[in-house]
């Protein structure tokens, strides 16, 4: 698994040794960052259900100002910290990122309590975790964490598409939604602009 763009392009990241963590495919990472384009520069980025940290590290590589990694699994968080250590150099300072070892609900509450504001978020929960799609996405959008103009990427399987479509149309007026398909995986991008 390699970083595909930015100042750390080509650097290898540690991948999990089992199926407990499912890193985001390079083609999906590249597509999402092509969509966000120059908006990533100096943005605050949330890597929710971070796993290996590949999405957040890709954001750092492309110039994000601050990245919040949220991961509740101790095993995955350890792997994430090892990956951050692989890219740590004079260009990356610990003030550029925060690792929050909590489940998504508590992490979002913690961030809101600390007046964190997010420009771009990426959500990649376990595909079978419908709670993440039905509850966490609306909490993120309506919970006061996102800035006025924002982009959220949601990785999922096909059966969740209808849930996301019906939910996002009811959430916020003017919220734009577009879904892209990559094999059996989908990326739904929600944008408020």
């Amino acid at each position: 698994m390699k970083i595909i763009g930015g100042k750390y392009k080509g650097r290898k990241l540690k991948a999990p040794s089992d199926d407990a963590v499912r890193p985001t495919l390079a083609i999906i990472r590249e597509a999402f960052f092509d969509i966000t384009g120059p908006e990533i520069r100096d943005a605050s980025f949330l890597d929710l259900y971070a796993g290996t940290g590949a999405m957040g590290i890709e954001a750092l590589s492309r110039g994000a100002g601050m990245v919040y990694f949220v991961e509740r699994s101790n095993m995955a968080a350890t792997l994430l910290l090892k990956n951050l250590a692989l890219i740590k150099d004079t260009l990356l300072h610990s003030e550029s990122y925060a690792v929050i070892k909590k489940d998504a609900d508590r992490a979002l509450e913690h961030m809101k309590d600390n007046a964190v504001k997010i420009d771009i978020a990426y959500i990649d929960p376990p595909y079978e975790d419908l709670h993440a799609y039905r509850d966490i996405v609306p909490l993120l959008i309506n919970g006061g964490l996102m800035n006025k103009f924002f982009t959220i990427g949601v990785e999922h399987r096909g059966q969740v598409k209808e849930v996301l479509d019906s939910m996002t149309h009811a959430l916020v007026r003017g919220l734009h939604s577009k879904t892209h398909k990559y094999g059996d995986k989908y990326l739904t991008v929600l944008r408020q602009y």
Side-chain angles (χ1 to χ4, degrees), residues 49-84:
Y49 304 93
T52 64
M55 286 302 290
I57 291 171
E58 193 75 47
L60 285 169
S61 182
R62 292 167 186 256
M66 180 65 183
V67 175
Y68 297 90
F69 296 90
V70 174
E71 179 54 57
R72 72 176 180 185
S73 161
N74 286 331
M75 186 268 304
T78 298
L79 185 59
L80 188 161
L81 290 168
K82 286 179 182 177
N83 281 332
L84 283 167

Side-chain angles (χ1 to χ4, degrees), residues 58-190:
E58 193 75 47
L60 285 169
S61 182
R62 292 167 186 256
M66 180 65 183
V67 175
Y68 297 90
F69 296 90
V70 174
E71 179 54 57
R72 72 176 180 185
S73 161
N74 286 331
M75 186 268 304
T78 298
L79 185 59
L80 188 161
L81 290 168
K82 286 179 182 177
N83 281 332
L84 283 167
L86 289 173
I87 64 161
K88 198 163 187 174
D89 58 21
T90 55
L91 298 174
L92 178 67
H93 303 283
S94 58
E95 298 85 36
S96 303
Y97 65 88
V99 178
I100 303 169
K101 293 182 187 177
K102 297 181 181 199
D103 65 25
D105 300 274
R106 289 185 181 162
L108 296 179
E109 186 178 312
H110 169 78
M111 292 169 73
K112 184 178 178 182
D113 289 348
N114 286 284
V116 170
K117 287 293 195 180
I118 301 296
D119 298 304
I120 302 171
Y122 194 82
I123 304 170
D124 183 13
Y127 290 147
E128 67 279 359
D129 184 359
L130 292 181
H131 164 69
Y133 299 107
R134 288 191 178 129
D135 301 327
I136 298 299
V137 172
L139 181 62
L140 188 57
I141 292 171
N142 292 329
L145 276 170
M146 301 305 292
N147 275 318
K148 182 177 180 182
F149 304 110
F150 63 80
T151 301
I152 300 173
V154 183
E155 187 175 329
H156 58 91
R157 286 256 166 92
Q159 68 270 24
V160 175
K161 185 180 179 320
E162 288 179 22
V163 172
L164 283 173
D165 286 346
S166 63
M167 177 188 60
T168 54
H169 293 298
L171 279 176
V172 177
R173 189 179 202 173
L175 183 67
H176 302 271
S177 173
K178 186 167 185 180
T179 299
H180 311 267
K181 188 176 190 295
Y182 304 93
D184 66 341
K185 295 172 176 50
Y186 292 77
L187 170 63
T188 295
V189 179
L190 309 170

Side-chain angles (χ1 to χ4, degrees), residues 15-34:
S17 57
D18 59 20
D19 293 338
V21 176
R22 174 190 36 79
T24 298
L25 298 175
I27 190 170
I28 298 175
R29 279 187 282 139
E30 187 168 9
F32 184 69
F33 286 105
D34 282 350

